Amino acid sequence: MQVAVLGAGSMGHGIAQVSAMAGHDVVLRDIEDDLVAEGIDGIRQNLAEGVERDKVTDAEMEATLDRISGTTELGDAVSDADLVVEAVPEDMDLKQNIFQDVEASAPDDALIASNTSSLSVTEMASVLEHPDRTVGLHFFNPPHIMDLVEIVVAEQTNDETEARAIEYVEGIEKEAVVVRDSAGFATSRLGLALGLEAIRMVEQGIASPADIDAAMRKGYGYPMGPIELGDHVGLDVRLHIAEYLREELGERFKPPQALHRKVRAGNLGKKSGEGFYVWEDGEKVGMSGHWGDDDE
């Protein structure tokens, strides 16, 4: 297929990478040339790490990169696309505007998908003349590592669109779970509930971030604890989703004050160098605040 990915950030370039690795031709689009270049460089780095770990061959790396091109022009990105996946910030107006621009420029039979982790795909699709070709494709971070894709079926999604979305996900060797469109879907709703409760436990002094994370990793088999995951996702993103789910689902999703304080201070997690942990060169080196510098 011809796949267009709109947004070259960590999610966007990851989606572009897994699509190209599966044999699809991919156009990666962002609003500035530097952002597109950074996205493609991120793909190159991911593939190089895969080569070092014997997960990817040199030939696979080169073939994948050959299938990816970049642009800042939305029309150029989507004009021949079979599938368009938007991976822009979690803002409904922005996503609706992009959906309308895509519909005006993409082929009539192209699937229009959102990588949103919590916003209503039904609401996004409501601005389109042909909303039946919309679907949610919620990838997990980082897309080239995580095996799951949550397929979100909007109220307008028809059976053909759902089937094509499942075929695409299985074709890129990911596990597909299909959910109906509701606030937070399945994964964000459950994951956020755990993440917020973990932050409340830190706030109440019950245990350190490292001990809470270790408990969930070693006691429940989680690959990453809920506090560390929040730092990876971005605490500002966590807060935004929590506020949305609180509005939609009630007070059980009320964000803890500790989360508000981190975001106000600009301590957003891995991307800012500090959240509930301290990060250097993308690696966790200690805990933030009065918990000190001790880690597990």
Side-chain angles (χ1 to χ4, degrees):
M1 292 196 304
Q2 181 77 28
V3 178
V5 181
L6 310 181
S10 60
M11 294 304 298
H13 77 246
I15 295 167
Q17 176 181 333
V18 297
S19 298
M21 290 184 75
H24 303 304
D25 292 321
V26 180
V27 181
L28 182 62
R29 185 259 178 179
D30 214 310
I31 57 175
E32 296 178 5
D33 289 328
D34 288 348
L35 296 176
V36 175
E38 287 172 10
I40 293 176
D41 187 56
I43 294 171
R44 186 176 290 105
Q45 290 178 25
N46 290 341
L47 290 167
E49 290 174 6
V51 170
E52 290 178 4
R53 297 173 183 173
D54 293 326
K55 301 290 186 181
V56 178
T57 67
D58 288 316
E60 288 170 334
M61 176 176 174
E62 292 305 317
T64 298
L65 291 170
D66 285 345
R67 295 188 191 105
I68 299 171
S69 60
T71 185
T72 57
E73 297 298 325
L74 185 139
D76 292 344
V78 307
S79 60
D80 296 319
D82 300 297
L83 168 65
V84 180
V85 184
E86 69 80 11
V88 304
E90 293 283 77
D91 178 273
M92 180 59 72
D93 290 339
L94 175 61
K95 290 178 184 288
Q96 286 183 327
N97 289 338
I98 286 176
F99 266 34
Q100 289 177 311
D101 291 343
V102 169
E103 186 175 47
S105 300
D108 292 341
D109 60 350
L111 296 190
I112 303 176
S114 173
N115 181 54
T116 182
S117 60
S118 63
L119 298 181
S120 171
V121 181
T122 299
E123 186 175 349
M124 290 178 211
S126 68
V127 300
L128 300 182
E129 292 184 18
H130 302 286
D132 54 336
R133 57 175 171 157
T134 61
V135 68
L137 291 176
H138 176 206
F139 286 77
F140 290 76
N141 195 17
H144 69 289
I145 301 286
M146 302 297 284
D147 290 330
L148 182 67
V149 178
E150 190 174 35
I151 297 175
V152 182
V153 178
E155 291 296 322
Q156 307 96 323
T157 305
N158 64 26
D159 291 343
E160 180 185 356
T161 296
E162 181 179 342
R164 288 174 65 191
I166 293 171
E167 182 180 8
Y168 162 74
V169 171
E170 292 177 346
I172 60 172
E173 299 184 352
K174 301 293 185 183
E175 182 79 19
V177 295
V178 180
V179 302
R180 298 295 159 182
D181 189 19
S182 63
F185 316 136
T187 55
S188 292
R189 188 166 169 177
L190 290 169
L192 187 66
L194 178 63
L196 294 179
E197 190 61 27
I199 293 171
R200 291 188 191 100
M201 292 171 65
V202 172
E203 186 176 57
Q204 294 164 8
I206 293 171
S208 72
D211 284 342
I212 291 170
D213 282 343
M216 297 310 297
R217 288 198 320 274
K218 297 172 183 177
Y220 286 84
Y222 281 45
M224 183 182 296
I227 303 289
E228 183 177 356
L229 180 60
D231 269 17
H232 271 272
V233 170
L235 299 182
D236 53 336
V237 176
R238 277 286 209 218
L239 177 59
H240 180 76
I241 295 173
E243 289 173 334
Y244 171 70
L245 293 188
R246 180 188 186 187
E247 180 180 341
E248 294 290 322
L249 300 173
E251 289 300 300
R252 64 188 183 277
F253 287 100
K254 179 181 179 180
Q257 283 302 309
L259 180 57
H260 280 289
R261 287 194 295 270
K262 289 288 186 184
V263 173
R264 290 190 195 111
N267 295 330
L268 307 181
K270 185 177 180 179
K271 62 186 175 184
S272 69
E274 183 175 349
F276 286 94
Y277 291 97
V278 177
W279 301 84
E280 291 181 5
D281 298 324
E283 298 295 327
K284 183 163 53 98
V285 297
M287 288 184 287
S288 175
H290 70 273
W291 296 105
D293 295 327
D294 294 332
D295 209 342
E296 302 103 312

